[in-house]
Amino acid sequence: MSKYFFTSESVTEGHPDKICDQISDAILDEIIQNDPEAHVACEVSCTTGLIHIMGEISTNCYVDMSSIARQVVNSIGYDNPQAGFDGNTCAVITSIDSQSPDIAMGVNKALELKEGNTDDNNQIGAGDQGMMFGYACNETPELMPLAISLSHRLAKRLSLVRKNGILKYLRPDGKTQVTIEYDGNKPVRVEAIVISAQHEENISLEKIKKDIKEHVIEVVVPKELIDDNTKIFVNPTGRFVIGGPVGDSGLTGRKIIVDTYGGYARHGGGAFSGKDPTKVDRSAAYAARYVAKNIVASNLAEKCEVQIAYAIGVAQPVSIMVNSFGTSSISDEKLTEAVKKVFDLRPSSIIKTLDLRKPIYRHLAAYGHMGREDLNVPWEKIDMVEQLKKAIQ
């Protein structure tokens, strides 16, 4: 296609689904801080006046999950009845079991180890079967698609102007959306921006539109990408007072496209939040991003998608695929072979390489897990460029 449009969305930290993601990852962080080897699969749901924490957790430490949930909700800004949801007074119930022993015997001791291969990186097997995707492209400095990059930045700015008092009438819930026009493979302009921001009563729509344009859109979106034909929609229904868990129920893992590439790349279907790094849904997705970003950073391709697939209880991936979408002078087959030479994609190796047994997850649970150079996460490093170039020669 010579000309086309692509749209991605993001949500603020006060969106009901993102509240749940942040609680799940805050609980995970607290457990990993005290027991790095814990097995955690923690999910959360929320609705009017209620948080429900559930899942399978095997650990030797105790954490006060109710207190963690309340701290997260209060820190987001739902800390009084006027906000519609109050972390101080809402009910919190927990339903936690231990990890199934049928799963644990494959995770704790990989098939390769059982068969006599005592390599350290064969110690644990994949926590589940499945396929994970990673992606990178040269559209932004952080090598992410432009639409999701701008959507995240708008959502983050929307929360910032609320928290620092620039727009005191805003409330925590919000959504952003950006449509980019492409000419060939190159993004050339912003076609549309949509922002829905929860607000207090008795604030006129005209004031909200003016303030959002001045303090959010104009601060975030480069002027050269906006023209007279760019469409801007702010609170297009005309009113957004009822929001958060009162307006809609929330659930961990329901924003997997927001968490990754905004729909610009494929997704294996597994969510991230609340899962310890033995779950390849999380760790292998980070590894796939790490691989794809280093390929693009090495100028071996302008854009790149990496798929890794696993069998439960087995350390070695069952398949690895690299797709450069015709943007590389090197065949995808050769790129795939180079990846296999340079990167060890067994779960134990991923965990060690990316240092995943640390409490780093709560801050990833809003505004995306990929492209987060602001958090200095290991899978955003481009430290394998020279090794990849050598492997291609």
Side-chain angles (χ1 to χ4, degrees):
M1 294 181 289
S2 61
K3 180 180 177 181
Y4 62 95
F5 300 93
F6 192 88
T7 302
S8 294
E9 71 159 355
S10 183
V11 298
T12 66
E13 61 206 63
H15 185 281
D17 295 330
K18 276 292 150 204
I19 295 172
C20 296
D21 285 342
Q22 290 168 90
I23 294 172
S24 292
D25 274 338
I27 290 170
L28 173 65
D29 278 354
E30 185 67 19
I31 293 172
I32 285 181
Q33 180 75 44
N34 294 283
D35 179 13
E37 302 296 325
H39 290 168
V40 181
C42 177
E43 296 181 351
V44 175
S45 63
C46 67
T47 187
T48 305
L50 175 65
I51 296 169
H52 185 187
I53 303 167
M54 67 202 93
E56 294 78 43
I57 299 175
S58 296
T59 180
N60 59 23
C61 71
Y62 170 78
V63 297
D64 187 341
M65 296 184 188
S66 295
S67 292
I68 292 170
R70 295 185 189 281
Q71 289 166 11
V72 169
V73 172
N74 286 333
S75 71
I76 290 169
Y78 292 112
D79 56 0
N80 64 79
Q82 286 71 38
F85 192 77
D86 186 359
N88 298 300
T89 60
C90 67
V92 181
I93 58 176
T94 59
S95 306
I96 301 295
D97 292 314
S98 60
Q99 185 183 55
S100 162
D102 294 347
I103 296 173
M105 69 180 184
V107 176
N108 295 337
K109 193 173 183 179
L111 178 66
E112 291 91 334
L113 190 63
K114 294 173 186 175
E115 293 178 343
N117 189 332
T118 57
D119 185 327
D120 283 347
N121 287 326
N122 285 327
Q123 293 297 314
I124 66 171
D128 201 353
Q129 70 176 49
M131 64 285 187
M132 297 81 212
F133 288 93
Y135 182 81
C137 62
N138 60 6
E139 294 180 15
T140 62
E142 70 272 23
L143 303 184
M144 287 286 286
L146 182 58
I148 188 65
S149 179
L150 288 177
S151 294
H152 283 324
R153 288 168 59 193
L154 287 167
K156 201 170 186 179
R157 178 69 184 176
L158 198 59
S159 289
L160 180 65
V161 297
R162 169 180 61 87
K163 288 183 170 183
N164 66 14
I166 293 176
L167 302 181
K168 294 182 179 180
Y169 59 80
L170 290 182
R171 288 178 174 170
D173 200 356
K175 300 181 79 172
T176 62
Q177 183 174 289
V178 176
T179 300
I180 299 295
E181 180 181 337
Y182 285 81
D183 186 358
N185 282 326
K186 304 298 182 184
V188 293
R189 57 181 290 274
V190 172
E191 168 68 11
I193 298 169
V194 183
I195 295 182
S196 295
Q198 186 189 14
H199 58 89
E200 296 176 357
E201 290 266 18
N202 304 319
I203 303 296
S204 71
L205 181 59
E206 289 72 23
K207 178 171 178 55
I208 295 170
K209 286 182 176 180
K210 176 180 178 297
D211 287 348
I212 294 294
K213 184 176 181 182
E214 177 183 351
H215 296 289
V216 179
I217 295 172
E218 291 179 356
V219 172
V220 169
V221 183
K223 292 180 180 179
E224 62 270 20
L225 292 177
I226 297 178
D227 57 30
D228 292 340
N229 294 318
T230 299
K231 306 174 188 69
I232 296 176
F233 302 93
V234 176
N235 286 9
T237 68
R239 174 183 165 91
F240 187 6
V241 173
I242 299 172
V246 177
D248 192 9
S249 60
L251 182 66
T252 298
R254 205 156 56 182
K255 286 290 176 284
I256 58 176
I257 299 303
V258 171
D259 287 342
T260 51
Y261 308 100
Y264 205 82
R266 286 175 284 193
H267 197 296
F272 302 155
S273 290
K275 296 179 181 177
D276 75 83
T278 66
K279 277 73 171 174
V280 285
D281 280 345
R282 174 167 232 158
S283 54
Y286 294 163
R289 163 65 178 172
Y290 182 48
V291 173
K293 186 172 183 179
N294 275 271
I295 289 173
V296 174
S298 64
N299 295 317
L300 295 174
E302 293 181 13
K303 58 181 177 178
C304 175
E305 185 180 74
V306 175
Q307 187 201 53
I308 314 169
Y310 294 88
I312 188 169
V314 181
Q316 283 287 357
V318 298
S319 70
I320 300 170
M321 181 207 71
V322 176
N323 184 357
S324 64
F325 305 96
T327 66
S328 176
S329 59
I330 299 157
S331 71
D332 289 343
E333 182 180 2
K334 286 185 177 179
L335 287 172
T336 301
E337 289 305 312
V339 167
K340 290 178 180 178
K341 291 177 185 177
V342 172
F343 296 92
D344 186 343
L345 296 172
R346 290 174 290 178
S348 288
S349 179
I350 292 172
I351 291 169
K352 291 175 187 174
T353 301
L354 301 182
D355 204 10
L356 297 180
R357 292 197 191 275
K358 287 187 175 180
I360 60 173
Y361 299 107
R362 158 73 197 281
H363 296 297
L364 289 162
Y367 314 116
H369 292 245
M370 312 303 176
R372 298 303 300 275
E373 294 182 349
D374 58 314
L375 297 178
N376 197 32
V377 289
W379 54 92
E380 292 300 320
K381 292 180 180 179
I382 49 174
D383 54 356
M384 303 301 285
V385 167
E386 294 306 316
Q387 292 93 320
L388 278 168
K389 289 179 178 178
K390 289 177 183 177
I392 289 293
Q393 293 173 356

